[in-house]
Amino acid sequence: MFGAAPISLASAAEIIGPIERAGVTVRRGDSIRVDTVLRTKSIGHFFPGGRVDGFDVWLELQALDENGRTVFWSGRMEDNINRVQLRVTYAQPPLLFHIRGNKQFEEVANRVGPSLKTPKVARGTAFGDIDNDGDPDLLLTTSGGPAYLYRNEGGNRNHFLVIKTEGTRSNRDGIGAIVKIKLPDGNTQWQMVKSGSSYCSQNQLPLIFGIGSHKKVDAIEISWPSSQIDKLPGMASNQFLRLKEGVGIEKQPGGQKS
């Protein structure tokens, strides 16, 4: 909830909840960015290097107009909210964002068909390559309603690399391992293998790297929870790799795109 006293939007303001005590005002036409920093204590999964995977944290943002009416409320819990706030609905259209590559996101739900335009009481989201073609597909669950499975058609027009980790000294699935790939243009991508994602949901454990027009990667590095670090040479893209701790490439569980 935004309070009454204005602050400068040109610089970041640290807000320690409840937000209504921070005195934040957003005027019509303003654009703001909300960065949420989660500090956990005695919860979550701790990994080497001080990283923590927090869970069971709920963030709500409410915006009021100058007359005190709610114009936006994320994560609203009352299913009859529309009776008292005519412009607020319990069901909301899902949002789909595309990373533009310059540290900005673009909302693209209107480009992928009519289903995402329909308001839903969505709860959990899980990503996985259900058809084994190298791009992530999406499963969306709803409260008291059906699950929606969206298959990514054409998402593999560019190149990819799918990496599944298998621990030996570390846990079997390599949860907590950080995988880095170095691309020919000098850029580096990294992901962590983790067991949680959205509410009561879990993404697939194999990591999907989208590498654009690159037909190979120059190097792969895996930092395991056991502190073991494995370094592998470059290899061709469009592969499904299983990387075993301390061993390297064990086998390819999936197919290969030509």
Side-chain angles (χ1 to χ4, degrees):
M1 180 183 296
F2 298 113
I7 64 169
S8 172
L9 298 178
S11 59
E14 182 177 1
I15 299 173
I16 300 177
I19 292 179
E20 60 261 28
R21 298 179 186 174
V24 178
T25 294
V26 180
R27 299 179 177 86
R28 189 182 304 276
D30 287 339
S31 296
I32 65 168
R33 186 182 75 182
V34 178
D35 291 329
T36 304
V37 178
L38 170 63
R39 293 183 174 90
T40 59
K41 183 177 181 180
S42 301
I43 67 168
H45 307 286
F46 290 83
F47 301 106
R51 293 175 294 273
V52 61
D53 179 20
F55 60 91
D56 283 345
V57 177
W58 186 270
L59 172 67
E60 287 192 16
L61 295 177
Q62 182 187 10
L64 307 177
D65 65 12
E66 57 272 18
N67 297 315
R69 295 175 299 182
T70 300
V71 294
F72 173 81
W73 197 327
S74 66
R76 193 63 184 156
M77 299 300 294
E78 288 84 355
D79 57 5
N80 62 348
I81 184 63
N82 188 246
R83 296 182 181 180
V84 294
Q85 297 285 353
L86 298 182
R87 291 190 292 176
V88 180
T89 59
Y90 181 52
Q92 301 175 5
L95 301 176
L96 180 66
F97 293 93
H98 175 252
I99 302 176
R100 302 176 62 179
N102 56 355
K103 298 182 180 180
Q104 293 184 351
F105 292 84
E106 180 183 9
E107 214 288 309
V108 294
N110 60 344
R111 302 182 188 175
V112 296
S115 181
L116 286 184
K117 297 179 183 178
T118 305
K120 297 175 175 63
V121 185
R123 284 294 178 263
T125 304
F127 295 87
D129 187 3
I130 63 165
D131 48 3
N132 204 34
D133 65 350
D135 56 30
D137 306 296
L138 169 66
L139 179 68
L140 184 83
T141 65
T142 60
S143 179
Y148 296 85
L149 180 61
Y150 299 97
R151 192 168 70 177
N152 190 344
E153 295 292 353
N156 60 356
R157 287 191 295 266
N158 287 322
H159 298 290
F160 64 87
L161 199 64
V162 179
I163 296 177
K164 178 175 175 58
T165 55
E166 181 179 336
T168 52
R169 295 171 57 202
S170 303
N171 60 83
R172 180 193 62 187
D173 293 314
I175 294 174
I178 295 179
V179 180
K180 298 179 181 179
I181 64 171
K182 184 177 180 181
L183 301 176
D185 61 4
N187 287 323
T188 300
Q189 294 185 23
W190 69 272
Q191 295 186 52
M192 176 187 286
V193 182
K194 54 185 179 179
S195 59
S197 55
S198 182
Y199 175 72
C200 290
S201 306
Q202 177 180 318
N203 297 335
Q204 69 170 33
L205 292 178
L207 305 175
I208 303 176
F209 289 91
I211 58 177
S213 60
H214 300 294
K215 295 183 179 181
K216 66 172 185 176
V217 298
D218 285 349
I220 300 176
E221 179 181 298
I222 309 99
S223 300
W224 300 89
S226 66
S227 298
Q228 165 90 13
I229 297 178
D230 292 336
K231 296 183 178 181
L232 303 174
M235 59 190 64
S237 62
N238 302 340
Q239 296 192 68
F240 297 78
L241 305 176
R242 185 190 299 272
L243 304 184
K244 190 171 184 177
E245 183 179 12
V247 176
I249 300 175
E250 188 178 48
K251 61 180 180 179
Q252 297 184 120
Q256 181 169 338
K257 174 189 168 189
S258 61

